[in-house]
């Protein structure tokens, strides 16, 4: 066949509708937030929605990306390491996503090159069109069959005009041609600038961005204008003229502090009706979800109490590095009607005096995950401060490992205790997992994804989960060295959660007779949802309030 365009056998056109969200002018203006808010809004209308993100990077997944540059690496249940937008989708859709819901250029090219080496193209020269675009469309259709949603939202990372998303956009143009007008809709999120020197809104860059999109053969059905304030009608009129689109389909979206309220704003703009009409879809009944969401948003904006929480970390310059933790706390803010004020503690050069000063009036201390040496001593000093002063403490992943080292040094008298990730030591209380010892490749090789934890009865962990076993998501290479477990336990540290299959990996620790001293080798923040906050976070915030 001349045109390579494989379709899965079971695929039926029209069963799944597609909304393709792209961005113009610049990135980082909230395309992900819009996409997930649109997903929530469609869910308000009773539709079953799934999502996928296209990322233009040549990285096969996001696992090797530096969170300081790129934001948090989110981990799916099946262990796929993704861009933080997948976390935003899981939270707005209240559903788990899997490796098929994330596609990087690296993943698609790897697939194609592997196929080429296996001789699967039967002598053809392998080209961007039709092979790369064909492979992308096939991926999308396979996902449509697998997730079987009413609507699949496809977010194309980057900005129109980037080389690395051009073949994704071309594939989406072809998809519309093949699927038909009423099955594919394009939304473009653009940016309206308001330079300080002028004091007025300017639309020129947006015009260029949208014209460029049209030059690719794609006319958007809806344009979302992002701006710090409401976009003026005159600006929307100008865009309407430039791209032949009715002004009602050009929607202003200003900044919102509470992102969970954005679906209601879009609802007020009647976005859902336009999408439903365009895709010939009917509203189904699902008022319950909308009502619950509304209650959550109201509670979030009407707190009855305030607390102050310290979060340590070396990525303190970029809050996106901790986005799931911040969201998990926000979910508790709503549930417990408590505003959580965050005090960021950069632990790189922290001495004892600073610690006393900085942590003097905090109600709780959270030590998140991390890698490498930098800042570890400062973090351990914060943990010690929490332990000695009966201040609620939650350690996550690296925070769990550092709590073990701190305990080993101070309580078990193992002065040289450390992690082999930090230094060479004669007392390696944290060491590589056995399976990690022979691994050379860095990408996708940590202990990843959901694993079961067996919970010890009559412990705080048991009180929190009220279950004998739980499943949470992991991302680590190191663990508590089993040789030291007995000593720590006899010195008063309780390992209240251990790996279910062999009880070898210590997964939860706690110290009894402390207000709340609790740490997990897993990341409970990845499973927290707006309407179902993770119980570990709930109990932590509750204890900060008491
Ligand atoms: N660096 C630690 C490890 O690899 C912890 C990882 C993390 O915090 N995600 O085990």
């Amino acid at each position: 066949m001349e045109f390579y365009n494989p379709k899965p056998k079971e695929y039926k056109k029209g069963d799944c509708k597609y909304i393709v969200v792209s961005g113009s002018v610049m990135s980082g203006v909230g395309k992900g937030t819009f996409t997930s808010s649109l997903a929530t809004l469609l869910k308000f209308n009773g539709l079953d929605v799934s999502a996928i993100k296209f990322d233009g990077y040549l990285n096969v997944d996001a696992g090797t990306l530096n969170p300081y540059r790129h934001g948090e690496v989110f981990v799916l249940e099946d262990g796929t390491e993704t861009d933080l937008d997948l976390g935003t989708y899981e939270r707005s859709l209240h559903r788990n996503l899997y490796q098929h819901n994330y596609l990087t250029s690296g993943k698609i090219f790897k697939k194609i090159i592997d196929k080429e080496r296996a001789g699967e193209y039967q002598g053809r020269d392998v080209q961007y069109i039709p092979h790369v675009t064909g492979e992308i469309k096939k991926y999308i259709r396979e996902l449509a069959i697998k997730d079987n949603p009413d609507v699949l939202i496809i977010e194309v990372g980057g900005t129109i005009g980037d080389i690395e998303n051009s073949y994704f956009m071309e594939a989406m143009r072809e998809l519309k041609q093949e699927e038909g007008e009423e099955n594919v809709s394009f939304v473009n999120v653009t940016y309206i600038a308001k330079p300080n020197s002028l004091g007025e809104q300017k639309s020129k860059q947006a015009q260029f961005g949208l014209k460029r999109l049209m030059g690719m053969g794609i006319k958007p059905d809806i344009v979302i204008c992002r701006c710090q304030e409401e976009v003026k009608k005159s600006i929307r009129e100008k865009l309407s003229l430039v791209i032949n689109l009715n002004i009602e389909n050009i929607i202003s979206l200003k900044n919102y502090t509470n992102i969970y309220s954005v679906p209601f704003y879009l609802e007020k703009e009647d976005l859902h009706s336009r999408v439903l009409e365009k895709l010939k879809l009917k509203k189904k009944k699902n008022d319950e979800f909308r009502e619950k969401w509304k209650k959550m948003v109201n509670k979030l904006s009407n707190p009855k109490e305030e607390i102050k929480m310290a979060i340590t970390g070396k990525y303190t310059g970029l809050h996106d590095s901790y986005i799931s933790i911040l969201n998990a706390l926000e979910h508790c803010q709503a549930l417990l009607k408590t505003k959580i004020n965050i005090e960021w503690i950069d632990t790189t050069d922290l001495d004892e005096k600073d610690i006393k000063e900085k942590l003097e009036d905090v109600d709780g201390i959270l030590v998140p995950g991390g890698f490498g040496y930098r800042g570890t001593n400062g973090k351990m000093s914060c943990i010690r401060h929490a332990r000695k002063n009966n201040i609620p403490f939650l350690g996550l992943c690296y925070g769990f490992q550092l709590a073990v080292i701190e305990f080993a040094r101070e309580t078990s008298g193992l002065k040289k205790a450390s992690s082999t990730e930090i230094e060479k030591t004669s007392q390696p209380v944290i060491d590589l997992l056995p399976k990690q010892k022979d691994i050379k490749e860095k990408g996708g090789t940590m202990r990843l994804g959901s694993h079961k934890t067996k919970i010890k009865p009559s412990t705080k962990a048991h009180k929190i989960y009220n279950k004998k076993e739980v499943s949470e998501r992991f991302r680590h290479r190191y663990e508590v060295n089993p040789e030291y477990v007995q000593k720590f336990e006899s010195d008063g540290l309780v390992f209240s959660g251990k790996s279910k299959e062999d009880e070898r990996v210590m997964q939860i620790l706690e110290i009894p007779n402390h207000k709340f001293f609790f740490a997990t080798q897993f990341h409970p923040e990845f499973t927290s949802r707006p309407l179902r906050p993770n119980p570990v976070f709930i109990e932590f915030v509750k204890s900060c309030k008491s």
Side-chain angles (χ1 to χ4, degrees), residues 368-372 396-399 401 421 446 475-479 521 523:
F371 293 83
L396 304 175
C397 205
Y398 212 21
Q401 297 172 358
E421 177 175 1
M446 286 190 231
R475 181 173 189 251
H476 66 127
R477 276 188 213 287
Y478 294 81
E479 64 163 347
Q521 180 63 78
H523 292 269

